[in-house]
């Protein structure tokens, strides 16, 4: 331990001493290897400061406590002597369950010790059992339904009534309002859908294993073999050899009868579930209460955007075809679906002289955190304060804890930063809610607690962790989710922060990506981690422009995916049509590159499971974020007045106000499909103009 401390001291002396006057304490903390904490007292406070979790066995106590509290709240909700608003009882019920379920789900995924992960998994299973029991508890359902239909006997606000309706809809998703035989059918369908989805997702990532005889001889040498089989593990999108790109696409995406059967059954079960619950299609069920409200509005938006994108995307594909002809020397060559990632990368290199590691030294993790801190202070008056972790509070020794502190309001909440890769940790960037914010009965506020998880390389003794531009975008994106949780001040935890409609939840995180791509913001913190020299204006312009190459064709691809998802979950599901026939038709209508015969990429499209009928959500969130950026922040990304207005009218409400109403009120304009489409097209045209100007300048 003593030797470790000396090494750490040497590193900090060598690399940090000259930074004292330039790096903030926050940047210094994130630029150094996380300090190992030695517990001499053994006075553990427990995971996240919860005394019950000083040991993994605490999960069993948490489970027992929530089971007991659930019964008490059920009795209160169904009592004739009820003295609290029904929505408050239900929100406490939701809060009690979520505090255990959300915590256990995170620990199950992230904790390095199997004893904790196993205990957390058992807790998850127990909470699922409690929820399933609630979903069949007719007395409590009738008590809530009575309040929603006829009003509470206690005074309620419009927000109370909105949240009550959300609780009721959650109940009815499971068919509790149906006759018993039909309710049991809904239960069985939900079980089938879960099983089918798990099998489909597993199959979607399996390699294609083909007999050598079925693989053209010219393709065989591109892929590994096992005995008489050729194994294709994925798409070779960045391969310089065009034949290899084509071969991987055709072979990896070959039709699979088992996957086709699973997808057909999944879509059919979803359709039957929706019909049983009184909806025309599964898309109608999935979009109830969303920003877009129903699939007809989604379709109108997709069609409006598709029409405007087509000539712009065609120009992108024409340029890719020119590049392919120059590269291969074939006058009739044209871009195909397997070419688009490759030529996007090539154009970045050719036009902007962008190299993979060119920008890395200017984006140390500490520098990026400092930039975030300064931006958030400018917009909202908050600071991110690195806080010492107490013994036993974290699940690993490389975790940071940030206190989010407002200059007037004080502490708003905590963000635990699990930023570094490690064995057994999921390779994903995401945001977890551990505890949602809510107003307590005594008037105090239950502070939100979240985890932001990234998969960054560990800092080395020679220097800090360095972020690529893509990693920087991801950091800002996930911190956007965290800020949504921190800045929400809802009465009810059921609708706090990111607990809002799926097609609105990504708006705050996508908006943060606009700040990460703005040269005025980057200029405040992009400096070399050793020399502190600021990034050059030329590099800055190239970096920001390169993010928007071929934006029209990329957006068109997302429109195509969204349209396909809607088609699968619309009326087509009841007919049991071939998913590939539907794909061919939708691709012909919505995408500028043709379908490739004897392929079925939809059978590897795992988003159909997690985002069934909601894949459009990211596209709509991107569009709304673009609209907000253009209206409030494009002129000045540090505008405090705009930031305060955005916090008060958007972030503070979470899902307590219908998102469509939030957006319309904030932007002072009705959110029609045409207005949304125009917003995104305006951005694409502006970015294209900037790229052309930069090309002319460099030429």
């Amino acid at each position: 331990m003593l030797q470790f401390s000396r090494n750490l001291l040497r590193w900090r002396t060598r690399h940090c001493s000259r930074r004292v006057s330039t790096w903030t304490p926050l940047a210094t903390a994130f630029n150094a290897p996380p300090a190992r904490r030695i517990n001499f007292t053994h006075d553990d406070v427990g995971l996240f400061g919860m005394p019950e979790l000083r040991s993994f066995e605490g999960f069993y106590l948490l489970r027992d406590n929530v089971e007991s509290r659930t019964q008490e709240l059920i009795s209160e909700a169904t009592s004739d002597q009820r003295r609290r608003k029904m929505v408050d009882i239900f929100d406490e019920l939701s809060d009690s369950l979520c505090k255990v379920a959300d915590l256990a789900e995170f620990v199950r995924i992230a904790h390095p010790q199997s004893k904790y992960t196993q205990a957390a998994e058992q807790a998850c299973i127990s909470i699922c059992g409690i929820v399933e029991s609630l979903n069949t508890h007719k007395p409590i359902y009738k008590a809530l339904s009575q309040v929603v239909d006829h009003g509470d006997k206690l005074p309620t606000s419009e927000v109370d009534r909105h949240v009550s309706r959300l609780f009721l809809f959650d109940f009815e998703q499971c068919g509790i309002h149906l006759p018993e035989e039909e309710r049991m059918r809904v239960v069985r369908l939900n079980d089938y859908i879960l099983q089918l989805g798990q099998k489909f997702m597993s199959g979607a990532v399996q390699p294609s294993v083909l007999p050598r005889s079925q693989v053209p001889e010219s393709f065989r040498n591109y892929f590994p073999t096992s005995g008489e089989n050729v194994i294709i593990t994925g798409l070779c999108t960045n391969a310089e050899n065009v034949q290899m790109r084509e071969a991987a696409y055709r072979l990896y995406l070959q039709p699979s009868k088992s996957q086709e059967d699973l997808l057909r059954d999944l879509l059919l079960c979803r359709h039957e579930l929706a019909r049983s619950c009184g909806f025309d299609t599964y898309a109608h069920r999935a979009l109830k209460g969303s920003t877009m409200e129903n699939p007809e509005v989604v379709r109108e938006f997709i069609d409006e955007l598709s029409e405007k994108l087509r000539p712009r995307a065609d120009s992108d594909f024409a340029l890719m075809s020119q590049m392919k002809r120059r590269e291969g020397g074939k006058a009739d060559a044209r871009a195909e679906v397997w070419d688009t990632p490759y030529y996007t990368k090539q154009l970045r290199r050719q036009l902007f002289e962008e190299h993979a590691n060119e920008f890395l030294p200017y984006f140390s993790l500490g520098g990026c955190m400092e930039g975030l801190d300064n931006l958030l202070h400018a917009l909202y008056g908050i600071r991110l304060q690195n806080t010492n972790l107490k013994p036993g509070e974290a699940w690993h020794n490389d975790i940071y804890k940030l206190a989010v502190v407002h200059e007037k309001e004080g502490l708003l909440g905590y963000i635990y930063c699990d930023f570094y890769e490690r064995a057994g940790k999921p390779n994903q960037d995401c945001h977890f809610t551990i505890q949602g914010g809510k107003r307590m009965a005594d008037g105090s506020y239950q502070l939100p607690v979240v985890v932001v998880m990234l998969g960054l390389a560990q800092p080395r003794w020679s220097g800090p962790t360095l972020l690529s531009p893509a990693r920087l975008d991801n950091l800002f994106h996930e911190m956007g989710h965290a800020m949504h949780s921190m800045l929400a001040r809802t009465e009810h935890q059921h609708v706090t922060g990111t607990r809002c409609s799926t097609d609105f939840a990504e708006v705050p995180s996508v908006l943060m990506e606009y700040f990460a791509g703005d040269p005025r913001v980057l200029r405040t913190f992009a400096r070399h981690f050793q020399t502190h020299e600021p990034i050059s204006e030329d590099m800055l312009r190239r970096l920001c422009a390169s993010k928007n190459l071929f934006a029209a064709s990329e957006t068109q691809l997302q429109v195509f995916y969204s349209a396909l998802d809607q088609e699968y979950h619309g009326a087509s599901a009841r007919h049991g049509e071939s998913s590939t026939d539907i794909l061919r038709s939708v691709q012909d209508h919505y995408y500028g590159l043709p379908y490739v015969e004897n392929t079925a990429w939809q059978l590897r499209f795992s988003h159909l499971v997690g985002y069934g009928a909601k894949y459009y959500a990211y596209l709509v969130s991107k569009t709304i974020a673009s609209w907000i950026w253009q209206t409030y922040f494009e002129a000045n990304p540090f505008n405090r007045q705009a930031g305060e207005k955005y916090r008060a009218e958007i972030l503070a409400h979470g899902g307590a106000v219908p998102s469509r109403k939030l957006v319309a009120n904030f932007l002072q304009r009705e959110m029609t499909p045409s207005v949304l489409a125009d917003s995104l097209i305006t951005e694409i045209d502006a970015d294209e103009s900037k790229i052309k100007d930069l090309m002319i300048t460099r030429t």
Side-chain angles (χ1 to χ4, degrees):
M1 251 336 115
L2 180 60
Q3 185 61 42
F4 175 88
S5 300
R6 286 173 177 165
N7 288 339
L8 179 59
L9 180 61
R10 289 194 195 105
W11 189 90
R12 285 181 167 162
T13 301
R14 190 167 63 247
H15 295 283
C16 296
S17 58
R18 55 182 172 172
R19 301 180 193 179
V20 173
S21 61
T22 53
W23 291 126
T24 63
L26 180 71
T28 301
F30 277 85
N31 269 349
R36 295 185 184 274
R37 291 170 289 275
I38 306 172
N39 181 12
F40 293 107
T41 66
H42 299 287
D43 187 20
D44 285 4
V45 299
L47 279 177
F48 295 102
M50 298 179 65
E52 298 91 342
L53 293 181
R54 292 185 178 121
S55 161
F56 69 91
E57 294 171 329
F59 275 110
Y60 305 119
L61 177 59
L62 292 175
R63 178 198 63 192
D64 293 344
N65 288 345
V66 77
E67 285 178 349
S68 176
R69 187 56 183 152
T70 296
Q71 293 306 313
E72 293 173 359
L73 292 168
I74 290 173
S75 297
E76 182 182 2
T78 55
S79 170
D80 293 336
Q81 283 76 47
R82 174 171 60 88
R83 296 182 180 180
R84 286 198 295 167
K85 291 184 290 187
M86 185 67 74
V87 69
D88 289 344
I89 299 172
F90 265 79
D91 194 61
E92 184 179 343
L93 180 58
S94 172
D95 187 40
S96 299
L97 292 167
C98 287
K99 279 180 179 176
V100 180
D102 292 342
L103 169 68
E105 178 61 16
F106 171 74
V107 172
R108 183 186 71 81
I109 290 172
H111 204 289
Q113 296 180 24
S114 60
K115 289 181 179 180
Y116 273 92
T117 60
Q118 291 168 9
E121 184 167 10
Q122 287 302 311
C124 289
I125 293 170
S126 297
I127 298 300
C128 285
I130 296 172
V131 172
E132 287 176 8
S133 176
L134 285 171
N135 287 337
T136 62
H137 198 292
K138 294 215 169 182
I140 194 173
Y141 166 72
K142 288 179 180 178
L144 176 62
S145 181
Q146 176 73 16
V147 166
V148 170
D149 292 341
H150 304 290
D152 203 332
K153 64 182 181 181
L154 298 168
T156 57
S157 66
E158 177 53 40
V159 169
D160 290 335
R161 293 187 286 275
H162 172 63
V163 176
S164 295
R165 289 191 293 270
L166 293 178
F167 278 124
L168 188 68
F169 179 63
D170 288 345
F171 253 126
E172 294 180 348
Q173 293 268 57
C174 298
I176 194 171
H177 59 301
L178 301 173
E180 185 61 17
E181 184 176 341
E182 191 65 17
R183 187 191 71 79
M184 289 305 299
R185 183 169 182 269
V186 168
V187 171
R188 289 194 297 271
L189 283 169
N190 273 318
D191 285 342
Y192 294 155
I193 288 167
L194 179 62
Q195 294 172 30
L196 289 166
Q198 290 173 339
K199 291 178 181 178
F200 181 82
M201 289 185 69
S202 176
V205 296
Q206 296 301 312
S208 289
V209 181
L210 303 171
R212 290 174 60 88
S213 59
Q214 293 183 17
V215 179
E217 189 172 347
S218 58
F219 289 175
R220 291 176 192 166
N221 293 333
Y222 297 135
F223 308 104
T225 59
S226 177
E228 291 301 310
N229 293 324
V230 177
I231 302 171
I232 304 94
T233 57
L235 301 175
C236 303
T237 53
N238 291 319
E240 293 185 3
N241 187 313
V242 64
Q243 286 188 318
M244 186 174 181
R245 296 197 300 272
E246 178 182 355
Y249 188 93
R250 291 185 180 276
L251 297 176
Y252 187 63
L253 300 180
Q254 280 198 354
S256 161
K257 185 179 185 305
S258 61
Q259 283 292 95
E260 175 67 30
D261 290 345
L262 286 170
L263 180 56
R264 183 197 61 233
D265 291 347
L266 174 66
L267 297 176
L268 185 58
C269 284
R270 282 177 169 173
H271 182 73
E272 291 300 315
L273 175 66
R275 297 291 293 173
S276 294
C277 293
F279 295 94
D280 289 343
T281 67
Y282 186 80
H284 285 88
R285 178 180 184 267
L287 269 65
K288 181 178 173 64
S290 67
T291 307
M292 299 300 274
E293 296 183 337
N294 60 64
E296 288 77 22
V297 176
V298 172
R299 177 70 69 177
E300 187 179 348
F301 165 66
I302 287 173
D303 287 345
E304 286 264 5
L305 188 54
S306 177
E307 187 67 25
K308 291 177 168 68
L309 279 172
R310 186 166 295 278
R312 295 165 171 84
D314 286 346
S315 295
D316 286 353
F317 295 134
L319 178 54
M320 291 182 203
S321 295
Q322 290 176 15
M323 295 175 68
K324 190 172 184 178
R325 289 171 196 141
R326 286 198 302 268
E327 185 177 85
K330 294 184 178 180
D332 60 345
R334 65 176 187 177
E336 302 286 357
V337 288
W338 50 77
D339 292 323
T340 53
Y342 172 74
Y343 285 111
T344 301
K345 187 174 181 180
Q346 288 299 101
L347 191 60
R348 282 198 180 103
R349 289 177 176 173
Q350 293 173 16
L351 290 182
F352 305 120
E353 299 175 7
E354 180 183 316
H355 306 292
N357 298 323
E358 177 186 11
F359 301 108
L360 285 177
Y362 295 91
F363 295 108
S364 66
L365 176 58
C368 295
M369 294 303 296
E370 180 180 308
L372 260 171
D373 181 50
N374 289 333
L375 175 64
L376 296 173
H377 185 258
L379 292 175
Y380 311 119
I382 63 175
R383 286 293 188 190
L384 304 177
Q385 295 182 1
N386 187 43
T387 304
N388 289 331
L389 283 154
K390 297 177 181 177
E393 186 178 358
W395 50 101
H396 198 267
N397 59 23
D398 62 4
I399 310 301
Y400 300 92
K401 180 183 179 182
L402 297 176
V404 181
V405 182
H406 190 272
E407 59 192 11
K408 294 180 180 178
E409 300 167 33
L411 181 63
L412 299 182
Y414 291 106
I415 303 171
Y416 289 83
C417 300
D418 188 351
F419 282 176
Y420 301 119
E421 60 187 1
R422 61 176 177 270
K425 178 181 172 180
N427 183 24
Q428 58 184 4
D429 295 345
C430 49
H431 160 271
F432 294 87
T433 298
I434 304 300
Q435 175 174 281
K438 65 169 290 182
R439 185 69 57 195
M440 306 299 285
D442 62 2
S444 63
Y445 200 80
Q446 176 173 288
L447 296 179
V449 178
V450 305
V451 175
V452 171
M453 179 185 284
L454 303 177
L456 305 178
Q458 287 272 357
R460 302 183 182 279
W461 299 117
S462 58
T465 295
L466 304 176
L467 275 62
S468 67
R471 286 290 196 184
L472 173 65
D473 288 344
N474 289 353
L475 172 63
F476 271 61
H477 180 100
E478 299 305 334
M479 289 297 288
H481 284 309
M483 285 303 108
H484 199 181
S485 295
M486 294 295 112
L487 296 175
R489 279 300 178 265
T490 56
E491 295 295 309
H492 310 292
Q493 73 81 36
H494 189 65
V495 290
T496 193
T498 56
R499 289 172 178 165
C500 54
S501 63
T502 304
D503 57 0
F504 187 71
E506 293 293 328
V507 170
S509 54
V510 174
L511 181 61
M512 284 299 291
E513 293 183 43
Y514 283 88
F515 290 96
D518 189 282
R520 293 164 296 182
V521 174
L522 296 179
R523 199 175 286 125
T524 65
F525 67 90
R527 46 199 163 123
H528 200 283
F529 76 98
Q530 291 174 321
T531 66
H532 300 283
E533 181 182 350
I535 191 169
S536 71
E537 288 300 308
D538 176 64
M539 289 180 68
L540 203 54
R541 292 182 69 196
R542 288 191 285 116
L543 169 60
C544 294
S546 68
K547 291 185 177 185
N548 301 308
L549 280 177
F550 296 136
S553 55
E554 176 57 33
T555 304
Q556 187 187 59
L557 184 64
Q558 295 302 313
V559 168
F560 164 39
Y561 291 168
S562 301
L564 181 67
D565 177 46
Q566 289 295 302
E567 191 68 25
Y568 281 157
H569 291 97
S572 299
R574 75 184 64 161
H575 305 304
E577 296 178 52
S578 159
S579 68
T580 301
D581 289 343
I582 296 172
L583 167 67
R584 182 188 287 104
S585 174
V586 173
Q587 184 163 347
D588 181 62
H589 187 75
Y590 287 100
Y591 195 47
L593 297 179
Y595 165 74
V596 179
E597 291 297 330
N598 199 37
T599 63
W601 70 258
Q602 79 281 5
L603 301 182
R604 294 190 178 276
F605 192 36
S606 58
H607 287 299
L608 290 171
V609 175
Y611 289 88
K614 293 182 180 180
Y615 188 82
Y616 78 91
Y618 181 80
L619 189 60
V620 166
S621 292
K622 162 85 172 170
T623 304
I624 295 172
S626 175
W627 191 6
I628 291 173
W629 172 260
Q630 293 172 43
T631 305
Y632 285 101
F633 298 108
E634 189 171 38
N636 177 8
F638 307 104
N639 188 325
R640 170 65 74 88
Q641 184 178 2
E644 295 286 6
K645 182 178 175 64
Y646 173 61
R647 179 193 177 188
E649 298 185 19
I650 296 288
L651 297 178
H653 297 285
V657 177
S659 51
R660 189 177 189 86
K661 182 178 179 181
L662 281 182
V663 174
N665 289 344
F666 183 58
L667 293 166
Q668 294 294 297
R669 190 174 182 185
E670 188 62 29
M671 200 183 74
T672 65
S674 179
V675 168
L676 286 174
D678 286 342
S679 172
L680 203 50
I681 292 298
T682 296
E683 177 193 322
I684 289 171
D685 286 348
D687 289 339
E688 181 67 18
S689 178
K690 291 175 185 176
I691 291 171
K692 288 181 178 177
D693 289 345
L694 184 57
M695 290 168 60
I696 292 171
T697 301
R698 294 186 65 77
T699 301

